[in-house]
Amino acid sequence: MTQATAGSTTAPKMQMSPERAKQVVTMTKSIRAHFPELAEIPNAQLIYSTWRSFKRIDQTNDSDYQTMAGVFFHEFDRHLLNYQLSKSGQEDTFRQRFFAILTEIL
């Protein structure tokens, strides 16, 4: 196995428990179904952003659904959509949609 060198653009390896993997898959499917705005995003990127969101949530002490929805919003807005959602003033709408999905699957 090779190690990533400084300045490498290699994404970290997605490591997670079987339970978390199931949540990532379920969440990704729900996002795909409830966010037509993300239809152009390849599955690999969507899965990776979902995993990164859960990883960030796992690293915080505050895991209420509102906070979690905010983490998902910022991850997707920043890394997948280049701030298109926040620039267009859609933050509240998207947070609410992430919140609804999270309450459904968790």
Side-chain angles (χ1 to χ4, degrees):
M1 184 185 324
T2 61
Q3 293 182 347
T5 58
S8 173
T9 58
T10 305
K13 185 176 180 183
M14 291 191 297
Q15 296 179 350
M16 62 195 104
S17 69
E19 179 182 325
R20 177 60 83 209
K22 183 178 177 183
Q23 289 173 334
V24 167
V25 169
T26 302
M27 184 71 176
T28 302
K29 287 179 180 178
S30 289
I31 290 169
R32 185 62 79 198
H34 293 93
F35 288 86
E37 301 87 350
L38 302 174
E40 299 297 318
I41 305 297
N43 285 333
Q45 283 183 302
L46 197 64
I47 291 168
Y48 182 71
S49 288
T50 302
W51 170 77
R52 277 180 50 125
S53 297
F54 275 121
K55 185 174 177 170
R56 288 176 192 242
I57 288 166
D58 290 343
Q59 295 171 347
T60 67
N61 293 329
D62 190 7
S63 61
D64 67 271
Y65 291 146
Q66 290 289 348
T67 301
M68 293 169 71
V71 169
F72 272 92
F73 171 80
H74 287 293
E75 175 66 29
F76 282 73
D77 187 41
R78 179 179 179 194
H79 294 286
L80 292 181
L81 299 171
N82 197 30
Y83 298 104
Q84 290 176 15
L85 301 175
S86 53
K87 288 176 185 176
S88 66
Q90 296 182 26
E91 184 170 351
D92 288 340
T93 302
F94 271 73
R95 280 179 182 243
Q96 290 172 0
R97 288 161 65 187
F98 279 121
F99 179 87
I101 293 170
L102 288 163
T103 58
E104 182 180 305
I105 68 166
L106 298 180

